[in-house]
Amino acid sequence: VPTVDLASRYDCAGVILHAPLMSGMRVAFNTSRTWCCDAFPSIDKVNKIGSLVLVIHGTDDEVIDLSHGVAIHDKCQKPVDPLWVEGAGHNDVEIYSQYVERLKRFINEEIRSHQYTIMAAAAALAAQTNQPHLNQKPTLSSNSTSTTTTNNS
């Protein structure tokens, strides 16, 4: 799906995959491989997503079998706990109360926590490598061969 393609190429805070398919050809022809003409080879791209990934799928999905969601989840670099909605089909997952609750937890807790972890790690790395503070800008001194750092705060 386009979401997997974009998220595999660009950084984002998190990705929510609702009833994802492994590939278009795998759904249409019940095949177990990716074909060169497949427009949506998600199963081959999902492992390139560097952000957190939440997979949501109904257990009784009549359009895209649950096995697609499970396979996608299993290939993710940074999967969070998936939501397999018991009894939900392809077009009614949203009406189950756990759907909204799981989305809220992903956005308000898991993504925020992950973002904080990334920022803390970046700050620690900057401190270890003696990088200038983010508010400091390098400037040329009157001596053209050296640079100095000024604090513009």
Side-chain angles (χ1 to χ4, degrees), residues 3-14:
T3 302
V4 171
D5 181 60
L6 289 170
S8 71
R9 294 187 285 141
Y10 301 100
D11 291 334
C12 51

Side-chain angles (χ1 to χ4, degrees), residues 85-89 92-101:
V85 184
E86 193 66 39
D92 63 352
V93 174
E94 306 85 10
I95 67 171
Y96 289 79
S97 62
Q98 66 259 43
Y99 177 81
V100 172
E101 292 307 313

Side-chain angles (χ1 to χ4, degrees), residues 45-80:
K45 294 180 179 184
V46 74
N47 64 338
K48 295 176 179 82
I49 297 174
S51 58
L52 298 179
V53 179
L54 168 61
V55 178
I56 300 173
H57 212 113
T59 60
D60 293 342
D61 192 321
E62 66 286 354
V63 178
I64 301 171
D65 190 77
L66 175 62
S67 63
H68 286 256
V70 172
I72 290 286
H73 178 265
D74 289 347
K75 286 260 193 157
C76 290
Q77 281 184 44
K78 296 178 183 173
V80 297

Side-chain angles (χ1 to χ4, degrees), residues 20-148:
L21 47 90
M22 288 188 274
S23 77
M25 296 294 278
R26 290 176 197 226
V27 171
F29 299 106
N30 196 23
T31 183
S32 61
R33 61 177 267 207
T34 302
W35 296 85
C36 61
C37 57
D38 199 327
F40 302 111
S42 297
I43 195 71
D44 299 332
K45 294 180 179 184
V46 74
N47 64 338
K48 295 176 179 82
I49 297 174
S51 58
L52 298 179
V53 179
L54 168 61
V55 178
I56 300 173
H57 212 113
T59 60
D60 293 342
D61 192 321
E62 66 286 354
V63 178
I64 301 171
D65 190 77
L66 175 62
S67 63
H68 286 256
V70 172
I72 290 286
H73 178 265
D74 289 347
K75 286 260 193 157
C76 290
Q77 281 184 44
K78 296 178 183 173
V80 297
D81 291 338
L83 175 60
W84 311 130
V85 184
E86 193 66 39
H90 189 72
N91 295 311
D92 63 352
V93 174
E94 306 85 10
I95 67 171
Y96 289 79
S97 62
Q98 66 259 43
Y99 177 81
V100 172
E101 292 307 313
R102 185 65 186 96
L103 290 176
K104 285 180 185 177
R105 185 166 54 113
F106 181 63
I107 295 166
N108 295 330
E109 296 173 21
E110 293 166 328
I111 288 177
R112 284 185 182 173
S113 174
H114 185 67
Q115 294 284 310
Y116 177 76
T117 302
I118 291 170
M119 290 188 302
L125 181 62
Q128 286 178 344
T129 58
N130 295 322
Q131 294 293 320
H133 189 272
L134 295 177
N135 290 332
Q136 296 176 334
K137 297 179 184 175
T139 59
L140 289 175
S141 67
S142 58
N143 178 345
S144 62
T145 60
S146 67
T147 58
T148 59

